[in-house]
Amino acid sequence: LRITTQWLRRRNELVMSTSGRKGYLFLGGGPLTELLATDLSGHEDITVIDSNKDNCRRLEKAGIKAIHG
């Protein structure tokens, strides 16, 4: 993640949203994402995008908004 963030910063493509959006977007719905999303879900809006339908189903059963894609 750090390498990607630095790459975006060098390209001047890393921007902070000023639109007032809140919450977190996770790409990939593996076990670590599920743990983090579950912990944060009581405080923030959480959305997970994953290409694995089983991961999406598991996250939705845990009460986390998941998008297959």
Side-chain angles (χ1 to χ4, degrees), residues 19-57:
S19 66
R21 294 181 183 169
K22 295 184 180 187
Y24 294 93
L25 173 66
F26 290 94
L27 303 178
L32 179 59
T33 297
E34 184 176 3
L35 178 68
L36 292 170
T38 301
D39 189 50
L40 293 169
S41 65
H43 310 288
E44 299 287 342
D45 292 330
I46 305 294
T47 302
V48 178
I49 299 174
D50 196 296
S51 60
N52 184 310
K53 288 182 182 181
D54 292 332
N55 283 347
C56 291
R57 286 187 197 110

Side-chain angles (χ1 to χ4, degrees), residues 10-11 16-17 19-22 29 34 37-38 41 44 60-61 64-65 67 69:
R10 280 194 307 272
R11 293 174 47 95
M16 179 175 277
S17 174
S19 66
R21 294 181 183 169
K22 295 184 180 187
E34 184 176 3
T38 301
S41 65
E44 299 287 342
E60 288 173 351
K61 285 182 183 178
I64 299 164
K65 180 180 176 184
I67 298 171

